[in-house]
Amino acid sequence: MTKEVLVRIAGLHFDLKENGETDLQEAEDEKIEIVVPGQYFLKNGKHYILYEEIEESDLGVTKNTLKVTGDYRVEMKKSGVLTSYMVFEKGKKYVSSYKTPYGQMQIGTDTKELTIISEEEKIRIFVRYTLEAEDEAVAESRIRIEVVPRECAFPA
């Protein structure tokens, strides 16, 4: 894959109610999708994807690094306005700090499903996980990530 890439990230979060159920309609309203330019490189058998997000609230820029190890592990590091480090590995739970302009908290990711498809000109990642805040499950989340060379277009 070329160094200059496009990164498409689509996320969906289902807030958990007190009874542990989710509200599907509310989740559709919370759906996000971004497409941003980025850089890609392969080092020691690991895929690295770097990209930036500009915060809608004009608070600045968040720099992101995705590190993909084989077909079993994804690490997502954010630095800038938001700072976090999240690890996704099927069947495992990881806890880390999440820092925002409004304060810091402990978050956990309990990965239920992880699919990584790495092809010569495309990387596709799907993650389904439970998001925890301060040791309490707060949402069921799904993230889809696609990385292609910048000269390619994403299918509709």
Side-chain angles (χ1 to χ4, degrees), residues 9-79:
I9 302 173
L12 187 61
H13 300 282
F14 302 87
D15 289 336
L16 294 177
K17 297 178 182 179
E18 286 184 28
N19 62 5
E21 293 181 5
T22 58
D23 184 336
L24 297 178
Q25 180 56 46
E26 194 174 295
E28 282 299 320
D29 295 341
E30 298 291 322
K31 187 176 182 180
I32 60 155
E33 184 171 337
I34 63 167
V35 177
V36 293
Q39 282 84 45
Y40 164 85
F41 62 95
L42 183 66
K43 182 177 179 182
N44 297 327
K46 296 176 174 86
H47 302 277
Y48 291 85
I49 299 108
L50 305 135
Y51 63 95
E52 293 182 351
E53 291 177 79
I54 298 173
E55 299 302 318
E56 291 179 12
S57 57
D58 291 331
L59 292 174
V61 173
T62 299
K63 294 184 179 193
N64 298 277
T65 302
L66 286 174
K67 178 179 166 185
V68 182
T69 303
D71 62 355
Y72 68 93
R73 183 180 172 110
V74 174
E75 298 170 53
M76 183 182 286
K77 180 180 178 183
K78 293 180 173 284
S79 60

Side-chain angles (χ1 to χ4, degrees), residues 25-141:
Q25 180 56 46
E26 194 174 295
E28 282 299 320
D29 295 341
E30 298 291 322
K31 187 176 182 180
I32 60 155
E33 184 171 337
I34 63 167
V35 177
V36 293
Q39 282 84 45
Y40 164 85
F41 62 95
L42 183 66
K43 182 177 179 182
N44 297 327
K46 296 176 174 86
H47 302 277
Y48 291 85
I49 299 108
L50 305 135
Y51 63 95
E52 293 182 351
E53 291 177 79
I54 298 173
E55 299 302 318
E56 291 179 12
S57 57
D58 291 331
L59 292 174
V61 173
T62 299
K63 294 184 179 193
N64 298 277
T65 302
L66 286 174
K67 178 179 166 185
V68 182
T69 303
D71 62 355
Y72 68 93
R73 183 180 172 110
V74 174
E75 298 170 53
M76 183 182 286
K77 180 180 178 183
K78 293 180 173 284
S79 60
V81 175
L82 303 174
T83 302
S84 69
Y85 176 72
M86 297 177 6
V87 179
F88 303 101
E89 195 169 340
K90 187 175 179 180
K92 294 194 178 180
K93 180 178 167 181
Y94 289 90
V95 177
S96 64
S97 293
Y98 184 69
K99 183 179 150 195
T100 74
Y102 310 105
Q104 182 172 315
M105 70 175 123
Q106 293 294 312
I107 62 165
T109 55
D110 186 358
T111 306
K112 308 297 184 189
E113 185 178 348
L114 175 63
T115 303
I116 301 168
I117 299 170
S118 176
E119 301 169 346
E120 189 173 325
E121 293 296 320
K122 182 187 288 188
I123 297 173
R124 291 180 290 170
I125 302 166
F126 174 76
V127 185
R128 184 174 59 85
Y129 64 100
T130 300
L131 178 66
E132 298 179 354
E134 302 297 334
D135 292 321
E136 184 177 320
V138 294
E140 289 296 324
S141 302

